[in-house]
Amino acid sequence: MCWSAQADAVAGGVVVGLGVACLVRARRSGRPQRLPLAALPLVLGAHQLIEAVVWLGTDGDLPAALAGWARTAWAAIALPLLPVYVPAAVWCASTEPGHPAGPDPRRVLSGLTLLGTVVTVPLAIAVAAHPVVATEHGHTLTYGIGVPHPAVLLAGYLLTTIGSLLISGDRDLRRLGFLTGLAAGLCALLWRIAFLSTWCALAALVSVLLVHWAGRPPYAPTPGGSGRPSGASRARGTAAGPPGRSTAPGTR
């Protein structure tokens, strides 16, 4: 795959469009708890559009000030924003009535949001205190930001972003977390130097799975304590009939 300004612009435009659809579907679902997470594709799509501008800056096609702004904006979304935004948005989605989880994940998600805040602080300081440098390296972009203790912060970053999806209790969100983690492993193997840039790109593409999640019917609690989409519950109830009453013809 060749990464370039054109590739980022096309991918970003597609993901932004699907992100708008994701927000619309979440709003129509009647569950405002879904809205923060439903906005994630829109954020990641805009992130790719910003990186298209970063590419133009590395080619010398932009004024230095605009190129510097694009690099800083890209880094601000990639580093300080996501490790706190993603677990907080998953926590918000988990407060939806009838959310299909066994053990309540909200306490763990609260802890991951707190951890994300801890990770965000040094990342935000690094982005604010150091000029962000972007260098083309083998059809990818490598960013230099001056982050302290990068291995520790990266571990916390991945734990909060991928981990919150995996423990969400929702099948679709767990699938998204698995694919995002798989993308992280792939980028670490193939583009180790440009890990952050390539992983953000793949995460943006994978995030379009949220379009289906955002438009699902609201959950309806079941006697076992789990939840299922209310449309499925109504269909099942119609087929089975009211509890304790036979539905066979001619019975009383």
Side-chain angles (χ1 to χ4, degrees):
M1 180 183 294
C2 178
W3 306 81
S4 64
Q6 294 78 11
D8 275 328
V10 171
V14 170
V15 176
V16 163
L18 291 173
V20 172
C22 191
L23 278 174
V24 171
R25 286 170 63 85
R27 185 176 182 277
R28 289 178 178 174
S29 74
R31 287 295 182 264
Q33 298 91 344
R34 299 180 185 179
L35 288 173
L37 190 56
L40 183 61
L42 187 60
V43 172
L44 295 179
H47 195 223
Q48 293 309 115
L49 293 177
I50 292 172
E51 188 166 62
V53 180
V54 174
W55 272 105
L56 296 177
T58 61
D59 294 337
D61 296 333
L62 292 178
L66 180 57
W69 174 88
R71 292 192 299 268
T72 301
W74 187 94
I77 295 174
L79 294 176
L81 177 63
L82 293 180
V84 67
Y85 180 86
V86 173
V90 176
W91 177 89
C92 189
S94 74
T95 64
E96 178 181 340
H99 185 267
D104 190 347
R106 285 176 288 184
R107 180 172 297 180
V108 179
L109 289 169
S110 297
L112 288 178
T113 303
L114 179 60
L115 175 61
T117 304
V118 173
V119 171
T120 288
V121 171
L123 294 178
I125 293 174
V127 172
H130 302 98
V132 179
V133 178
T135 306
E136 184 177 351
H137 183 85
H139 301 292
T140 60
L141 287 178
T142 302
Y143 289 87
I145 303 171
V147 174
H149 310 294
V152 175
L153 291 178
L154 177 62
Y157 186 108
L158 296 177
L159 179 61
T160 57
T161 52
I162 299 173
S164 59
L165 293 167
L166 292 175
I167 68 161
S168 64
D170 184 283
R171 182 179 59 188
D172 286 342
L173 298 186
R174 287 199 300 265
R175 184 182 297 116
L176 176 60
F178 172 77
L179 291 176
T180 305
L182 187 63
L186 180 66
C187 292
L189 289 173
L190 298 181
W191 302 289
R192 183 177 60 85
I193 296 178
F195 168 79
L196 189 59
S197 174
T198 54
W199 182 57
C200 284
L202 292 183
L205 296 176
V206 171
S207 72
V208 301
L209 295 175
L210 288 172
V211 176
H212 168 72
W213 167 82
R216 288 185 328 199
Y219 289 110
T222 62
S226 62
R228 67 181 72 247
S230 58
S233 298
R234 287 195 298 270
R236 184 170 179 170
T238 301
R245 182 176 297 178
S246 172
T247 58
T251 60
R252 297 182 179 177

